[in-house]
Amino acid sequence: MNPKRLFFIDIIRAFAILMMLQGHFVDTLLSNNYLDLNSTPFIIWTYFRGITAPTFFTISGLIFSYLLLKAKVRGEEKVRMRKGLLRGMFLIFVGYILRIPFFRWFQGSFNSYFLVVDVLQCIGLSLIIIIILYYLSAKKTFIFSLITFILGLVIFITEPLYRTLNIENIPILFQNYISKKNGSVFTIIPWFGYVAFGAFLATIFHKFLIKKYFKKIIIFLFLFSGIILIFYSSNLLCELSKITHIQLFLDAASYNYLFTRLGNVFIYFALFYSFEKILKFPLLLKIGQKTLSIYVIHFIIIYGSFTGIGLKNIIGKTLNPKQVIVGACLFLIVVCFISFYYVKTNTFLYAQLRKVFDKLKGNK
């Protein structure tokens, strides 16, 4: 077994994408009559659902940066950076195209809602930013590690400053990356903060992975850091505010979801890395490697991409808890099955995008 192969990353990605599938299915189709905010099962479901996006962003930063650093050792960093730029642009492209209502356009009905930013655009832009930061750090791992850690910290702490940020005098295409005013689900800040922390973790794994006892040490650090962030980060921010007399720390502590969710992600990392050998099923690893296809397929089925006809329109919020549980399980199976055996969309689109990229490069 390759000691530098991080199987737990694919396991976490598989878990996160399955959590996302059931989360979107339940949220879209469960009747409002059963949305009881005082119900313990609903509270637990909501809490764990909230960890999915932070996990995706953190793991994206980790795996991409780890592969970039490995490519540097082999002298292939330029190729990896080029692939990273291509990947980032591809994710942004797919993110937009999934929301284009082609049927409405054919009928002459147009609006700007398809320009809202979702997870794919945000991750795509984040990967491009990571490449820029790596280049600006003169491709020095230590500098890159320091920059990503500090940047993630700053983004999280300064969240109160841009929480309601809305810049009117810029095109809506760019405005949607920094403001949720027009319906964007994710914005580049604060979500790039998770990608930055993932990139920082990649430098740790790259430097120490083959060291003796590394796995035990990093699992302990994940658990310790996770507990501190979940239960004590707000108190630490309050103490910093008292010591420095800086109001920003207190404001960050009063709505401290970013550090708390990062703590949840670290606990996930600790658990999945601990049980990596047990959970290393081929099926689970395959799901972790097919996250983009799975995301695209689930989006089409639930929200009716391209056609405007999806489960959201056909069924709507009409299911009871038993129906939604059974339906979610079947939905996971169907989406994964289609992804494994019938979808080659990614390969085709990547090939076309590479042709365009190479042509542009050749014209310079």
Side-chain angles (χ1 to χ4, degrees):
M1 185 176 71
N2 184 354
K4 288 193 175 185
R5 177 70 187 273
L6 301 177
F7 290 100
F8 89 99
I9 289 180
D10 285 332
I11 297 170
I12 293 176
R13 289 170 69 184
F15 176 77
I17 195 71
L18 293 176
M19 285 291 289
M20 183 207 68
L21 291 183
Q22 66 82 21
H24 285 178
F25 187 92
V26 174
D27 182 64
T28 304
L29 303 178
L30 180 64
S31 171
N32 289 327
N33 296 329
Y34 299 99
L35 300 181
D36 184 2
L37 298 179
N38 296 315
S39 167
T40 300
F42 185 75
I43 292 171
I44 294 173
W45 175 81
T46 302
Y47 183 83
F48 280 96
R49 187 190 175 203
I51 309 174
T52 303
T55 302
F56 255 121
F57 280 96
T58 307
I59 208 71
S60 296
L62 196 163
I63 186 60
F64 178 76
S65 301
Y66 181 73
L67 293 175
L68 179 59
L69 294 173
K70 283 182 66 177
K72 177 185 177 182
V73 175
R74 299 193 300 267
E76 300 173 355
E77 58 185 341
K78 289 184 178 180
V79 175
R80 174 56 59 178
M81 290 171 73
R82 176 177 172 273
K83 287 183 177 179
L85 289 172
L86 191 66
R87 175 75 171 179
M89 290 187 291
F90 179 72
L91 290 176
I92 292 171
F93 169 74
V94 174
Y96 282 124
I97 202 170
L98 280 176
R99 288 186 175 273
I100 294 178
F102 287 104
F103 279 15
R104 291 182 186 174
W105 283 12
F106 291 148
Q107 295 169 0
S109 176
F110 301 93
N111 60 49
S112 61
Y113 186 72
F114 80 97
L115 292 175
V116 301
V117 172
D118 210 329
V119 62
L120 292 185
Q121 293 100 315
C122 205
I123 290 180
L125 181 57
S126 294
L127 297 186
I128 293 172
I129 293 173
I130 286 293
I131 293 172
I132 293 172
L133 292 176
Y134 182 70
Y135 181 80
L136 293 176
S137 66
K139 304 176 184 179
K140 302 292 184 183
T141 303
F142 175 76
I143 298 175
F144 177 68
S145 179
L146 194 63
I147 289 174
T148 51
F149 178 77
I150 293 174
L151 190 57
L153 208 59
V154 170
I155 289 173
F156 279 15
I157 292 175
T158 59
E159 189 269 345
L161 299 179
Y162 57 80
R163 186 178 299 163
T164 57
L165 179 66
N166 183 34
I167 303 175
E168 298 284 355
N169 299 323
I170 61 174
I172 190 172
L173 175 66
F174 304 113
Q175 187 181 137
N176 284 344
Y177 280 91
I178 58 176
S179 172
K180 293 184 178 181
K181 177 185 177 182
N182 301 309
S184 288
V185 183
F186 294 93
T187 50
I188 196 63
I189 49 174
W191 292 100
F192 177 73
Y194 288 106
V195 179
F197 278 119
F200 167 73
L201 291 176
T203 64
I204 303 298
F205 273 90
H206 181 258
K207 185 173 179 60
F208 300 107
L209 183 60
I210 61 174
K211 301 292 184 181
K212 192 176 182 181
Y213 305 123
F214 169 76
K215 186 172 183 177
K216 293 181 179 178
I217 293 171
I218 198 67
I219 288 173
F220 169 78
L221 289 176
F222 277 143
L223 282 173
F224 179 77
S225 301
I227 292 170
I228 294 295
L229 288 171
I230 294 170
F231 296 106
Y232 301 105
S233 57
S234 294
N235 293 333
L236 290 172
L237 288 169
C238 288
E239 289 301 317
L240 279 173
S241 181
K242 290 179 182 178
I243 295 170
T244 62
H245 303 291
I246 297 175
Q247 179 65 29
L248 180 61
F249 291 124
L250 191 60
D251 293 339
S254 67
Y255 188 50
N256 180 26
Y257 69 97
L258 293 172
F259 284 111
T260 301
R261 289 308 190 191
L262 183 62
N264 294 141
V265 173
F266 285 170
I267 297 297
Y268 271 2
F269 281 15
L271 292 175
F272 285 107
Y273 202 18
S274 296
F275 298 102
E276 181 183 44
K277 291 183 179 179
I278 299 174
L279 296 172
K280 200 173 60 177
F281 302 115
L283 177 62
L284 206 56
L285 295 176
K286 193 170 184 180
I287 291 174
Q289 295 162 4
K290 291 277 188 177
T291 52
L292 181 56
S293 294
I294 290 172
Y295 180 88
V296 171
I297 295 165
H298 109 281
F299 208 93
I300 293 171
I301 294 175
I302 289 187
Y303 303 111
S305 294
F306 313 127
T307 64
I309 303 172
L311 295 179
K312 183 177 181 178
N313 312 101
I314 298 171
I315 299 176
K317 298 179 78 65
T318 61
L319 303 184
N320 62 43
K322 289 183 180 179
Q323 291 171 329
V324 87
I325 290 172
V326 174
C329 292
L330 292 174
F331 180 65
L332 264 63
I333 293 170
V334 169
V335 171
C336 290
F337 180 82
I338 295 173
S339 175
F340 290 166
Y341 298 106
Y342 289 100
V343 173
K344 296 184 179 179
T345 309
N346 292 0
T347 304
F348 173 76
L349 291 175
Y350 265 125
Q352 302 308 310
L353 196 56
R354 281 196 187 95
K355 289 179 182 178
V356 174
F357 192 84
D358 291 337
K359 184 175 290 186
L360 291 173
K361 187 178 178 181
N363 291 334
K364 289 183 178 180

